[in-house]
Amino acid sequence: MSKFGERIHVHTGDITRLAVDAIVNAANSSLLGGGGVDGAIHRAAGPELEFECRMLNGCKVGEAKLTKGYHLPARYIIHAVGPVWQGGGKGEAGLLASCYIRSLEIAAARDCRTVAFPAISTGIYRYPKNEATQIAVGIAGTFVGQNSTPETVIFCCFDEPTAQLYRQAVAAIEGC
Ligand code: ADP
């Protein structure tokens, strides 16, 4: 069995279709919906989601907040706000790492056995994909090494080249 015992998976597809305990949304700090994966999640979850989000008073960059999944197959949505890439000198790496840590902590606190992440910040927020992937996989590897919940972390990539980057990053930490 591999080092992580199959606890980190890479999947290619639409995160809104995943029947997991929690999906993570790459939200913006208003939490009121936007483009990319955020728009897709709001459309698939239905208007009740925006109603709940309005009561949350936004979310800071590097933080995350939980809502119900409404019409999604996922039970919960963890809305994480990633940093906008500004060249790397504005604390972006720490803020992106914090998004993943906070999301995993929230998932663990709700006893989520499976949690799925999109590639936070790598779309409209322009974070370089390779660097973002190293952070995402590094945090997940450390977290599953130290915690029994979530049992499984899924990286849900929207395209195959991104999935390939994730598979390489998972293989690299497996070999450590
Ligand atoms: P951000 O504003 O944090 O950059 P985006 O939604 O623009 O967020 O992009 C984050 C990542 O999510 C991108 O890699 C994009 O390809 C991917 N993405 C977009 N739609 C979906 C979806 N339905 N399921 C999974 N990933 C998606």
Side-chain angles (χ1 to χ4, degrees):
M1 189 182 283
S2 67
K3 184 175 167 192
F4 295 109
E6 306 298 323
R7 288 179 64 193
I8 300 179
H9 291 235
V10 180
H11 172 82
T12 310
D14 178 353
I15 201 166
T16 65
R17 311 289 289 271
L18 297 185
V20 290
D21 293 312
I23 63 166
V24 177
N25 181 15
N28 59 55
S29 46
S30 77
L31 297 184
L32 299 180
V37 70
D38 194 4
I41 288 172
H42 274 264
R43 279 192 298 278
E48 298 96 326
L49 174 59
E50 193 185 326
F51 189 77
E52 183 176 356
C53 284
R54 282 194 184 282
M55 321 234 265
L56 297 177
N57 290 317
C59 182
K60 289 186 189 145
V61 179
E63 266 295 330
K65 291 188 177 178
L66 179 124
T67 66
K68 288 185 274 190
Y70 298 97
H71 298 290
L72 290 176
R75 185 148 49 106
Y76 297 116
I77 305 164
I78 298 169
H79 304 264
V81 184
V84 175
W85 178 255
Q86 296 177 76
K90 303 270 191 210
E92 293 96 322
L95 290 165
L96 186 62
S98 170
C99 277
Y100 283 96
I101 294 167
R102 289 295 301 132
S103 299
L104 288 163
E105 286 173 351
I106 290 169
R110 293 285 177 141
D111 283 327
C112 293
R113 294 172 60 194
T114 48
V115 57
F117 283 92
I120 299 171
S121 283
T122 66
I124 298 160
Y125 284 2
R126 303 184 313 275
Y127 207 109
K129 282 210 162 148
N130 197 23
E131 282 96 319
T133 304
Q134 304 304 322
I135 291 170
V137 171
I139 297 289
T142 303
F143 199 92
V144 302
Q146 295 172 346
N147 299 274
S148 53
T149 312
E151 283 169 17
T152 307
V153 174
I154 300 169
F155 288 111
C156 180
C157 304
F158 209 35
D159 54 69
E160 196 45 40
T162 306
Q164 201 52 44
L165 272 182
Y166 271 87
R167 283 192 209 102
Q168 283 164 8
V170 172
I173 60 166
E174 293 272 6
C176 289

